[in-house]
Amino acid sequence: DAGAGYGSVSYEVWVTAQSNTTWGRVMDFGTNSAGEVTDAGGSFSGTQYILLSNNIANGGDMRMEMLGTAQNGTRDAAGATILGSQQHIVMTYDAADGMWKWYRNGELMEGFAGAAPSALNDVNNWLGRSNWAGDANTDALYDEFRIYDYALSDAQVRQNLLDGPNQLTVVPEPSVGLLGLAGFGLLARRRR
């Protein structure tokens, strides 16, 4: 389940595209006209999803798109996927501001206000495959894929890029309970 129940979420991947497949997906979470797809091939079209595509048609730009929810959005970012070069891709949703954002190699590329991940009927959660049968599978090498139950900050995205795959150094945001205890400790110390 790619996001049901999450208020905020981050999807992070290190991927190396080997060839330029039209509409090749980095990731695609959602459903299509066939519902759950368990076999190769088929005939279906996307009905509700959030995706990040390596390129769009022949334009060479990358795209993040949400469709089939009360809040749809599409954002293209100039600059094609560089073949044979590992890219660090992060897609986040922050419930605090209702924004989806995506980053490439530590840089914020685009964002839009959209529905929460829990609004998606995400029965097909794919890396390298599309909820549209006509799109080619992505010809890519995936080094690592991570899901966080919070939106990574700009600084955390940049740090993860520097650290690379196979090394987890992101520290989760402190919980309100821990902050409350720390504040109580400071207050108790001041009274002495």
Side-chain angles (χ1 to χ4, degrees):
D1 190 347
Y6 290 151
S8 296
V9 70
S10 297
Y11 307 109
E12 179 175 47
V13 67
W14 284 264
V15 61
T16 305
Q18 301 298 301
S19 64
N20 196 11
T21 54
T22 302
W23 289 106
R25 299 294 195 272
V26 173
M27 56 187 97
D28 191 329
F29 308 125
T31 192
N32 55 56
S33 57
E36 183 176 11
V37 177
T38 58
D39 294 324
S43 178
F44 48 84
S45 56
T47 57
Q48 187 184 63
Y49 53 81
I50 181 79
L51 68 81
L52 186 68
S53 182
N54 270 332
N55 63 60
I56 52 174
N58 296 319
D61 295 340
M62 294 180 77
R63 172 176 286 180
M64 179 174 68
E65 179 175 80
M66 175 174 263
L67 182 72
T69 67
Q71 292 177 287
N72 297 325
T74 299
R75 292 292 184 276
D76 298 338
T81 297
I82 301 168
L83 299 180
S85 177
Q86 186 177 73
Q87 293 189 97
H88 176 239
I89 304 292
V90 179
M91 188 166 58
T92 68
Y93 176 78
D94 190 343
D97 62 9
M99 292 292 294
W100 282 94
K101 297 177 184 174
W102 77 273
Y103 301 79
R104 180 175 56 204
N105 296 330
E107 298 296 321
L108 176 62
M109 301 306 293
E110 289 291 338
F112 59 79
S118 58
L120 291 172
N121 184 19
D122 58 345
V123 296
N124 300 310
N125 298 312
W126 291 324
L127 300 177
R129 187 172 183 187
S130 171
N131 271 298
W132 290 85
D135 296 339
N137 289 338
T138 298
D139 178 16
L141 302 172
Y142 286 79
D143 192 328
E144 186 168 340
F145 177 71
R146 301 175 184 169
I147 300 175
Y148 302 84
D149 63 354
Y150 58 94
L152 292 172
S153 68
D154 293 352
Q156 289 170 319
V157 169
R158 285 190 297 277
Q159 187 61 53
N160 284 3
L161 169 67
L162 293 174
D163 294 340
N166 306 313
Q167 182 171 340
L168 184 60
T169 56
V170 171
V171 177
E173 300 293 326
S175 71
V176 175
L178 289 176
L179 288 175
L181 288 175
F184 178 75
L186 287 174
L187 182 63
R189 185 175 179 176
R190 286 185 180 170
R191 288 187 176 180
R192 291 184 188 172

